[in-house]
Amino acid sequence: MYFRKMSGNKCYLSPINVNDAEKFAEWLNDLEVTVNLTLYNNVINTENEKALLENLSKEHHYSIIDQETNALLGSCGFVDIDHLNQTAEVGICIGNKQYWNRGYGTEALILLLDYGFKALNLHNVLIRVYAFNERAAKCYEKAGFKLMGKRRDTLRRGKKKYDVTYLDILYDEFYETNAARIESFNRAVMQGERTM
Ligand SMILES: CC(C)(COP(=O)(O)OP(=O)(O)OC[C@H]1O[C@@H](n2cnc3c(N)ncnc32)[C@H](O)[C@@H]1OP(=O)(O)O)[C@@H](O)C(=O)NCCC(=O)NCCS
């Protein structure tokens, strides 16, 4: 069972359901997916993924669900939330590769950030991306993230070392970039096109 906690046009975000552990474990054993993640070097099976999801389900982590088919596509969420300084870091993974490059990642991120800025009172959100992950970098740029800088040679893949790029976004910048889009999500909900 999924819930439309944050609802967009293509997808919605629902609290993590631990019963999805097998599907998440399948994606986290796909090296084409995990090469982009810190989990690349971890052993993941259904049991330990269930334990991971149990922890994530208590935090602000959400499953990304296709609006039309209710299919599970991946997850996104905040880590290191600092309420005093109003900061957090965000992470996202669409495990179903058939959904890459179709705007789902950008929309899921916008839904999560809107919630973070409004409901969690955040002011600055950080995101990190590996230098070879051009798709992710483009997605973050579209959501309004700005380049902070690069930490050089901090990721090893095989014999090569790569930079890690740091981007961040402030409350005002987020709404300057995404106001029209958020308006369209809200309009769809108000008009009953999406049930909350
Ligand atoms: C990264 C990720 C969240 C992006 O979500 P997505 O739904 O695929 O991204 P979007 O479709 O919203 O945006 C991707 C953009 O990058 C573009 N793109 C794709 N490959 C590219 C490349 N090699 N170089 C430049 N741009 C590229 C796409 O064309 C699209 O831009 P457009 O809308 O202007 O055409 C998703 O692909 C994913 O989870 N990948 C695997 C795990 C991962 O990388 N997680 C992020 C770790 S930092």
Side-chain angles (χ1 to χ4, degrees), residues 10 32-38 64 73-75 90-97 99-109 127-130 132-140 142 181:
K10 292 170 182 283
E32 207 184 337
V33 175
T34 60
V35 70
N36 302 298
L37 308 174
T38 50
I64 305 169
L73 309 181
S75 69
V90 74
I92 181 166
C93 178
I94 294 185
N96 186 332
K97 293 187 285 190
Y99 281 81
W100 286 1
N101 296 329
R102 292 168 56 189
Y104 283 84
T106 306
E107 187 173 294
L109 207 48
I127 200 159
R128 275 185 272 184
V129 58
Y130 301 154
F132 51 78
N133 195 350
E134 292 172 342
R135 178 186 303 108
K138 181 78 189 293
C139 166
Y140 305 156
K142 284 196 296 173
R181 203 148 178 191

Side-chain angles (χ1 to χ4, degrees), residues 34-93:
T34 60
V35 70
N36 302 298
L37 308 174
T38 50
L39 288 168
Y40 186 57
N41 314 98
N42 293 27
V43 176
I44 305 279
N45 56 39
T46 307
E47 280 315 299
N48 57 29
E49 179 57 18
K50 202 170 211 165
L52 280 173
L53 290 182
E54 253 156 33
N55 285 334
L56 291 179
S57 69
K58 295 174 196 143
E59 310 284 333
H60 285 290
H61 277 265
Y62 296 93
S63 291
I64 305 169
I65 312 293
D66 184 15
Q67 192 66 265
E68 297 305 324
T69 63
N70 291 311
L72 175 69
L73 309 181
S75 69
C76 60
F78 292 112
V79 290
D80 292 337
I81 298 177
D82 176 343
H83 289 294
L84 189 63
N85 293 301
Q86 300 176 278
T87 59
E89 182 169 348
V90 74
I92 181 166
C93 178

